[in-house]
Amino acid sequence: MSEAAEQRTTVADMWFDPLCPWAWITSRWLVEVERVRPVTVRWRVMSLAVLNDGRDLPAEYQELMERSWEAVRVCTAAEQRFGPEVLGPLYTAIGTRFHNRAEAQDTATLRAAVAEAGLPEDLVEAGRSTEYDEDLRASHAEAMKLVGEDVGTPVVQVEDVSFFGPVLSPIPRGEEAGKLWDGVRLVAGTDGFFELKRTRNRNPVFD
């Protein structure tokens, strides 16, 4: 890629929690956007467990929050040990297993994802350690600083515009993904624009 082409490329940061199916769909939309627009996605980690810390949650959702720690810790450890460029392949390997294949959200699945991403197997040990929690919380706090505390994952930042979402199902493909990107940037970049929402009437579709 020429220097001029690189200068025209827009960087979009996306913060994700690997357990969130809606963030996974948004991430696959952004992968599509990279194919049809001069956009490069930079992957970042946030945590639903950190977001919901101290909140009164239903027992089933609280159990999900406890389970979510392992994957975000593994992702954070990977970023800290090997650099942010490993997060894209690792998130793809984890998300494909968790969501598309509906595999167990456990250590064995994470171990397989780590291996697919070309990372050392001992990385999964970070999932049950607090060693990288300070880094995880700092990354999460960076996302919340951009959009406020009353939203979740994903958070996207492009140039000087940040927003939660978009929440999608199914995944837009090809030029449809590009058109949505253009529209999201337009509305999110409008001064004073905060929210556009309707009730979700379908479950996540990963195909």
Side-chain angles (χ1 to χ4, degrees), residues 11-72:
V11 175
D13 290 277
M14 179 183 148
W15 281 260
F16 66 91
D17 184 313
L19 257 69
C20 179
W22 300 104
W24 175 245
I25 290 175
T26 303
S27 77
R28 297 311 91 181
W29 163 64
L30 286 175
V31 170
E32 290 287 317
V33 170
E34 286 185 305
R35 298 187 177 116
V36 295
R37 295 291 186 273
V39 172
T40 297
V41 181
R42 188 163 53 192
W43 306 101
R44 315 284 291 275
V45 185
M46 64 184 298
S47 169
L48 288 170
V50 172
L51 179 71
N52 288 287
D53 188 27
R55 296 182 181 179
D56 186 16
L57 303 172
E60 182 178 353
Y61 197 72
Q62 183 61 51
E63 189 276 331
L64 177 66
M65 294 301 95
E66 292 299 323
R67 192 167 72 246
S68 74
W69 278 106
E70 188 171 13
V72 291

Side-chain angles (χ1 to χ4, degrees), residues 57-107:
L57 303 172
E60 182 178 353
Y61 197 72
Q62 183 61 51
E63 189 276 331
L64 177 66
M65 294 301 95
E66 292 299 323
R67 192 167 72 246
S68 74
W69 278 106
E70 188 171 13
V72 291
R73 282 170 168 164
V74 169
C75 287
T76 303
E79 180 182 20
Q80 293 300 312
R81 288 175 58 182
F82 304 105
E85 63 275 6
V86 305
L87 278 180
L90 180 58
Y91 181 31
T92 294
I94 294 173
T96 299
R97 286 168 168 78
F98 280 5
H99 305 298
N100 296 75
R101 301 180 191 170
E103 295 182 17
Q105 296 171 347
D106 61 12
T107 304

Side-chain angles (χ1 to χ4, degrees), residues 79-174:
E79 180 182 20
Q80 293 300 312
R81 288 175 58 182
F82 304 105
E85 63 275 6
V86 305
L87 278 180
L90 180 58
Y91 181 31
T92 294
I94 294 173
T96 299
R97 286 168 168 78
F98 280 5
H99 305 298
N100 296 75
R101 301 180 191 170
E103 295 182 17
Q105 296 171 347
D106 61 12
T107 304
T109 301
L110 288 172
R111 184 175 290 109
V114 163
E116 181 183 326
L119 297 168
E121 183 177 341
D122 67 355
L123 193 64
V124 298
E125 297 173 7
R128 301 189 181 277
S129 167
T130 60
E131 180 180 356
Y132 297 97
D133 282 8
E134 184 175 346
D135 299 300
L136 170 58
R137 289 179 181 276
S139 181
H140 177 88
E142 187 176 355
M144 294 295 94
K145 184 178 180 180
L146 294 171
V147 294
E149 297 288 340
D150 59 342
V151 298
T153 179
V155 170
V156 175
Q157 180 183 36
V158 52
E159 296 178 337
D160 59 347
V161 176
S162 306
F163 50 88
F164 161 70
V167 177
L168 307 164
S169 183
I171 304 161
R173 303 290 185 181

